[in-house]
């Protein structure tokens, strides 16, 4: 296009250690900015080029909009000419994300997937696995006429579950409204019966159903059946059921609902929305863990840190917390148990039989003791011992002392939620299926497998044509994650656990999905954490951004990436105060032959890094890890020679970081601290 500026020109950059640098960035090319560490590469690209782009964007906004934003400092530069909108994608931001953020949520994949499962997913009952459907009043009437044709039918509405004291107040209201019968605990009774409410209920909840109508069903009674069902839905809050008399003069039950309801058990569920597939929303979060996938639980080696102590000497350290009265009560509980159970309080904890330890920690419902488990003058009652862990959990839950709660936290660790098994979603959300699979299964897949699932099971299925745009958007974003070399990461991988390079490539995949044209992409070492066998994928992505009409600037040290660039800029010659100068700017071939460039000889293979130190032979002392099973590790045994520099390598996602950081480092920290 005529009149278009051919390059972005930075004049007189003095930010940080830059010494009045002037550099040209050719528009529409892949530009590598290199140099020794600390030479000023990032200062030139991010603190000058990207910062000036951000400042000019903010200044283009209205006065009112600028007041809502922080004032952006102008970088120390004479001017930047020919500047386009700049998107800076830097490293080391993954760790600042919250515990609920995952790869799927950070890349918008979860948004597309939630829409699909909410729109075309098939809900099932989490209690019995039966389909959950939503039917109109006419559908319910038709079914009742079909199933009960020629038979005597009772139409009822479930009202409530309540104690006898509540029923005595509420049931007369239904009689005053004209209703004559109810079903209490499965028995049909008249509201004016003297023995309406069962005796000796012991405070338990009693199920009450209101009898709406008794009718013999046939084609002529359709209107009456429809009116009765409509009233039943009104009284039963969208739920109703019918008792159909069978040949044995007994009744078969059929459940009806105008909301989502199980076709077998009649349990009702809310209308499905995308919120039901978000663990950040109360509608979708697991009822037990609140969407975190983990619950805190007390651990034996924390509450009993010194197993050489006896129970009499206070081996249970966590039981020594709290008021003096509470501590004395716990001592008394142990004494009561020792008198009624074969328990000696004098031996050290590590000498107590394993079965006895299990009983003390977890309790036993089958063993009944005469115990006094409460503070006060109450009498001892026949009851099972709930266990030390249960007692600590109740103390944690019921105490009003924040100090005691904080101290008890130190004896807990995060454990997988027993309800959702770490999947974070509610039981109903996990029972909605798309192409035969629940939402949590899809998120547990590696990106490559999730991409294959969408392409083969969803995109090609004609019944999902109504949401083709959402399916295509999901397929494209999964494809972009594979293109940037993240095919090994699972979609539910916590975003905070990603390396700087992985997080940067994940954001790069998100930018690919936006399809922007004519902007400047500034990337900070996108090859970090990427195995050499996957570099060609990253380079292909960078070419794709460039070919779309964008200018791509990468701050890099990787030789393969630099050789793939159209233009190289080198800053140096040394780090800190010894750098800050423009050493080279030009084509890659010119850099290889340049005498001023420190990078060119390495790229040309003339110079290379060689090991100067002699190899040190391993001794007999080894640090051994046995049966490592964290994440994707498959029960492996590994030995690390003590006193040597050991490198753990492998393709991306093979388990290197899991072995070193999750297994070795955490095990060592647990032993040492």
């Amino acid at each position: 296009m005529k009149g278009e500026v051919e390059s972005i020109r930075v004049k007189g950059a003095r930010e940080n250690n830059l010494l009045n640098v002037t550099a040209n960035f050719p528009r529409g090319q892949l530009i590598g900015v290199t140099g020794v560490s600390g030479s000023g590469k990032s200062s030139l690209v991010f603190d000058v080029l990207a910062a000036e782009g951000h400042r000019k964007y903010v200044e283009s906004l209205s006065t009112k909009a600028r007041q809502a934003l922080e004032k952006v400092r102008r970088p120390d530069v004479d001017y930047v000419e020919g500047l386009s909108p700049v998107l800076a994608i830097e490293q080391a931001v993954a760790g600042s994300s919250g515990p609920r953020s995952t790869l799927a949520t950070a890349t918008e994949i979860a948004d597309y997937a939630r829409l699909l499962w909410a729109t075309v997913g098939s809900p099932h009952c989490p209690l019995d696995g039966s389909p959950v459907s939503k039917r109109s009043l006419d559908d319910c009437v038709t079914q009742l006429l079909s199933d009960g044709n020629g038979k005597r039918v009772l139409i009822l509405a479930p009202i409530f579950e309540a104690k006898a004291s509540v029923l005595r107040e509420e049931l007369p209201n239904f009689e005053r409204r004209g209703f004559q019968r109810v079903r209490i605990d499965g028995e049909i009774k008249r509201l004016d019966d003297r023995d309406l409410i069962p005796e000796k209920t012991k405070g338990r909840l009693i199920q009450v159903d209101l009898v709406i109508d008794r009718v013999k069903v046939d084609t002529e009674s359709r209107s009456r059946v429809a009116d009765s069902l409509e009233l039943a839905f009104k009284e039963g809050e969208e739920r109703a059921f019918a008792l159909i008399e069978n040949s044995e003069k007994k009744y078969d039950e059929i459940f009806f609902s105008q909301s989502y309801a199980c076709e077998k058990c009649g349990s009702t569920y809310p209308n499905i929305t995308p919120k039901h597939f978000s663990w950040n929303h109360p509608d979708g979060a697991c009822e037990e863990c609140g969407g975190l996938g983990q619950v805190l639980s007390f651990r034996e080696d924390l509450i009993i840190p010194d197993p050489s102590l006896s129970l009499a000497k206070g081996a249970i350290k966590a039981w020594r917390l709290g008021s003096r009265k509470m501590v004395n009560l716990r001592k008394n509980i142990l004494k009561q148990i020792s008198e009624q159970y074969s328990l000696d309080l004098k031996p050290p904890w590590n000498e107590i039989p394993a079965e006895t330890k299990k009983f003390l920690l977890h309790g036993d419902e089958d063993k009944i003791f005469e115990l006094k488990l409460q503070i006060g003058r109450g009498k001892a009652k026949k009851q099972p011992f709930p266990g030390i862990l249960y007692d600590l959990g109740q103390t944690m839950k019921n105490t009003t002392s924040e100090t005691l709660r904080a101290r008890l936290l130190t004896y807990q660790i995060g454990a997988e939620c027993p309800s959702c098994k770490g999947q974070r979603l509610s039981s109903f959300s996990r029972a909605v299926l798309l192409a035969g699979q629940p939402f949590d299964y899809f998120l547990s897949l590696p990106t490559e497998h999730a991409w294959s699932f969408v392409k083969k099971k969803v995109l090609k299925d004609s019944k999902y044509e109504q949401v083709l745009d959402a399916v295509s958007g999901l397929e494209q974003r999964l494809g972009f994650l594979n293109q940037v070399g993240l095919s090994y990461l699972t979609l539910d991988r916590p975003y905070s656990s990603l390396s700087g390079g992985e997080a940067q490539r994940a954001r790069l995949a998100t930018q690919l999905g936006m399809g922007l044209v004519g902007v400047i992409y500034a990337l900070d070492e996108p090859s970090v954490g990427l195995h050499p066998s996957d570099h060609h994928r990253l380079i292909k992505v960078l070419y794709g951004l460039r070919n779309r009409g964008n200018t791509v600037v990468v701050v890099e040290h990787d030789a393969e990436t630099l050789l793939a660039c159209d233009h190289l800029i080198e800053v140096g010659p040394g780090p800190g105060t010894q750098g800050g100068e423009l050493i080279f700017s030009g084509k890659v071939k010119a850099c290889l032959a340049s005498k001023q460039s420190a990078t060119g000889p390495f790229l040309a293979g003339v110079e290379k890094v060689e090991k100067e130190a002699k190899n040190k032979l391993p001794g007999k002392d080894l640090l051994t890890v046995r049966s490592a099973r964290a994440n994707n590790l498959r029960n492996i045994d590994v030995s690390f020679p003590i006193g040597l520099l050991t490198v753990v390598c492998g393709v991306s996602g093979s388990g290197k970081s899991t072995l070193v950081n999750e297994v070795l480092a955490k095990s060592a920290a647990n032993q040492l601290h």
Side-chain angles (χ1 to χ4, degrees):
M1 184 183 295
K2 291 185 178 180
E4 183 180 7
V5 180
E6 294 182 355
S7 64
I8 301 114
R9 180 174 175 80
V10 176
K11 176 73 166 65
R14 295 173 294 276
E15 194 70 28
N16 297 333
N17 68 330
L18 296 178
L19 302 176
N20 211 38
V21 170
T22 297
N24 290 332
F25 295 81
R27 188 179 298 280
Q29 295 189 16
L30 174 58
I31 305 165
V33 181
T34 187
V36 298
S37 298
S39 60
K41 309 182 298 296
S42 297
S43 296
L44 177 61
V45 175
F46 294 101
D47 297 336
V48 176
L49 187 67
E52 181 67 359
H54 178 56
R55 185 184 71 85
K56 287 188 175 181
Y57 166 72
V58 171
E59 287 189 351
S60 69
L61 302 175
S62 65
T63 304
K64 188 173 182 179
R66 292 202 303 271
Q67 289 175 351
L69 299 172
E70 292 185 12
K71 189 174 181 180
V72 180
R73 182 182 69 86
R74 186 182 187 280
D76 191 2
V77 61
D78 290 345
Y79 64 82
V80 180
E81 185 181 52
L83 195 59
S84 303
V86 182
L87 283 172
I89 306 177
E90 299 181 67
Q91 285 191 35
V93 298
S96 62
S97 61
R100 297 173 182 267
S101 182
T102 64
L103 178 65
T105 60
T107 55
E108 300 178 355
I109 285 173
D111 297 331
Y112 280 89
R114 288 180 190 129
L115 181 61
L116 285 178
W117 260 262
T119 307
V120 293
S122 302
H124 289 71
C125 178
L127 301 177
D128 55 33
S130 300
V132 171
S133 59
K134 187 175 184 180
R135 294 180 289 180
S136 66
L137 176 62
D138 191 57
D139 293 334
C140 297
V141 172
T142 301
Q143 182 185 352
L144 185 54
L145 290 175
S146 174
D147 294 345
N149 188 26
K151 299 177 182 179
R152 187 166 172 252
V153 172
L154 275 72
I155 299 174
L156 300 93
I159 302 302
F160 47 64
E161 274 189 323
K163 294 182 179 180
S165 58
V166 177
L167 297 186
R168 293 187 183 95
E169 296 180 4
E170 295 295 332
L171 290 181
N173 294 331
F174 293 105
E175 187 177 9
R176 285 192 289 269
R177 291 173 56 196
F179 295 102
Q180 297 180 352
R181 293 174 177 80
V182 291
R183 187 172 77 156
I184 296 183
D185 272 357
E187 184 179 353
I188 304 293
K189 293 184 178 182
R190 290 185 60 87
L191 283 167
D192 55 4
D193 285 350
R194 290 185 178 181
D195 58 346
L196 179 61
I197 300 172
E199 297 181 359
K200 298 180 180 180
T201 57
K202 295 182 180 180
R204 66 179 177 86
L205 297 178
I206 304 171
Q207 175 64 43
V208 178
D209 307 310
L210 187 63
V211 179
I212 303 297
D213 196 5
R214 296 186 300 169
V215 59
K216 186 175 181 180
V217 172
D218 53 35
T219 54
E220 295 180 358
S221 63
R222 183 182 181 91
S223 177
R224 178 176 173 179
V225 169
D227 291 341
S228 298
L229 267 180
E230 187 176 13
L231 179 58
F233 284 136
K234 181 179 179 181
E235 296 292 338
E237 297 180 350
E238 304 299 329
R239 295 182 300 156
F241 62 96
L243 301 180
I244 302 176
E245 192 175 44
N246 56 31
S247 59
E248 300 176 358
K249 299 298 181 180
K250 295 182 179 180
Y251 291 99
D252 298 323
E253 289 191 15
I254 300 179
F255 293 92
F256 300 103
S257 176
Q258 287 187 297
S259 60
Y260 279 103
C262 176
E263 296 178 1
K264 184 177 181 181
C265 69
S267 301
T268 58
Y269 301 98
N271 291 331
I272 303 174
T273 67
K275 294 177 182 177
H276 285 94
F277 302 98
S278 171
W279 47 77
N280 294 324
H281 195 278
D283 289 348
C286 171
E287 301 85 350
E288 186 167 347
C289 66
L292 288 174
Q294 287 191 330
V295 291
L296 290 174
S297 61
F298 289 94
R299 183 164 150 173
E300 179 185 345
D301 58 351
L302 294 179
I303 65 174
I304 307 173
D306 187 358
S308 64
L309 292 177
S310 66
L311 292 171
K313 294 292 184 180
I316 309 168
K317 187 176 180 181
W319 257 15
R320 303 206 302 262
L321 302 177
S323 65
R324 181 176 297 178
K325 184 181 284 188
M326 183 181 291
V327 173
N328 290 336
L329 174 63
R330 287 166 172 166
K331 289 180 179 178
N332 191 36
I333 288 173
L334 283 177
K335 184 179 179 182
Q336 294 175 67
I337 292 175
S338 67
E339 293 170 352
Q340 304 173 52
Y341 185 79
S342 56
L343 174 65
D344 189 354
L345 303 179
K346 295 181 180 179
W349 175 264
N350 53 16
E351 295 181 11
I352 295 177
E355 186 177 345
T356 305
K357 287 182 182 178
K358 182 180 178 181
F359 162 70
L360 289 172
L361 290 171
H362 303 283
D364 190 340
E365 294 182 357
D366 298 330
K367 290 183 173 66
I368 304 300
F369 301 91
E370 288 274 351
L371 293 178
K372 180 181 176 183
L373 297 180
Q374 294 182 346
I375 300 173
R377 297 183 178 180
K379 295 181 179 180
K381 297 180 181 179
K382 289 185 177 181
Q383 55 191 310
F385 174 59
I388 296 168
L389 299 181
Y390 176 83
D391 177 76
L392 289 172
Q394 290 299 108
T395 303
M396 184 83 177
K397 180 180 178 181
N398 299 323
T399 182
T400 58
S401 171
E402 291 300 325
T403 302
L404 177 58
R405 184 175 285 109
R407 294 182 69 183
L408 286 174
L409 274 174
T410 62
Y411 297 91
Q412 292 184 308
I413 60 166
E416 183 180 86
C417 174
S419 177
C420 68
K421 307 299 181 185
Q423 299 303 321
R424 305 185 178 195
L425 293 173
S426 67
S427 56
F428 176 57
S429 301
R430 300 197 308 273
V432 180
L433 307 182
L434 179 76
Q437 298 297 343
F439 187 74
D440 55 295
Y441 166 80
F442 173 74
L443 292 185
S444 68
L445 294 174
T447 303
E448 187 175 15
H449 296 170
W451 190 26
S452 177
F453 170 79
V454 172
K455 287 193 297 182
K456 296 178 180 179
K457 298 289 184 67
V458 183
L459 194 59
K460 294 182 179 180
D461 197 326
S462 59
K463 66 181 179 182
Y464 301 126
E465 287 182 356
Q466 57 179 322
V467 288
L468 186 59
D469 288 345
V471 177
S472 299
L474 179 61
E475 187 270 333
Q476 288 177 4
R477 277 160 174 74
L478 288 168
F480 293 144
L481 277 178
N482 281 271
Q483 288 180 34
V484 297
L486 298 179
S487 59
Y488 58 91
L489 292 179
T490 58
L491 294 176
D492 59 0
R493 172 78 172 263
Y495 195 67
S496 59
S497 70
L498 301 184
S499 68
E502 287 173 335
Q504 186 181 195
R505 292 198 298 279
R507 297 199 308 280
L508 180 59
T510 306
Q511 294 297 329
L512 284 170
M514 294 181 180
L516 297 177
V517 176
V519 303
I520 301 171
Y521 283 98
L523 308 176
D524 185 12
E525 298 187 53
S527 64
V528 168
L530 193 62
H531 194 267
S533 62
D534 292 326
H535 277 185
H536 68 282
R537 292 186 181 181
L538 175 63
I539 294 170
K540 187 177 179 180
V541 169
L542 299 179
Y543 281 159
L545 286 174
R546 179 201 64 184
N547 296 340
R548 198 178 288 169
N550 301 301
T551 304
V552 184
V553 183
V554 293
V555 176
E556 264 296 356
H557 291 292
D558 177 64
E560 188 174 353
T561 306
L562 292 175
L563 288 170
C565 290
D566 304 310
H567 188 90
L568 288 182
I569 294 175
E570 184 175 352
V571 183
T577 56
Q578 301 174 18
E581 300 179 17
L582 184 67
I583 302 301
F584 175 83
S585 179
K587 299 292 183 181
V588 176
K589 287 185 178 180
C591 181
L592 300 180
S594 173
K595 295 181 179 180
Q596 290 77 27
S597 172
T599 305
F602 286 95
L603 295 179
V606 176
E607 294 187 20
K608 58 183 179 180
V609 178
E610 295 182 345
K611 181 179 177 181
E612 296 181 359
K614 295 181 179 179
N615 286 335
K616 186 177 179 181
L617 297 176
K620 295 182 180 180
D621 296 331
L622 299 173
L623 182 60
T624 304
V625 174
R626 298 200 181 279
S627 301
R629 298 178 297 274
N631 294 336
N632 66 331
L633 296 180
R634 300 181 180 179
N635 211 40
I636 64 172
D637 297 335
V638 184
S639 294
F640 297 85
I642 294 176
L644 297 186
L645 173 62
T646 303
V647 176
V648 180
C649 62
V651 297
S652 299
S654 58
K656 308 181 298 295
S657 298
T658 299
L659 175 62
V660 176
N661 298 329
E662 296 298 317
V663 177
L664 180 62
K666 288 188 176 180
S667 297
N670 186 55
Q671 290 290 328
L672 295 173
H673 304 299

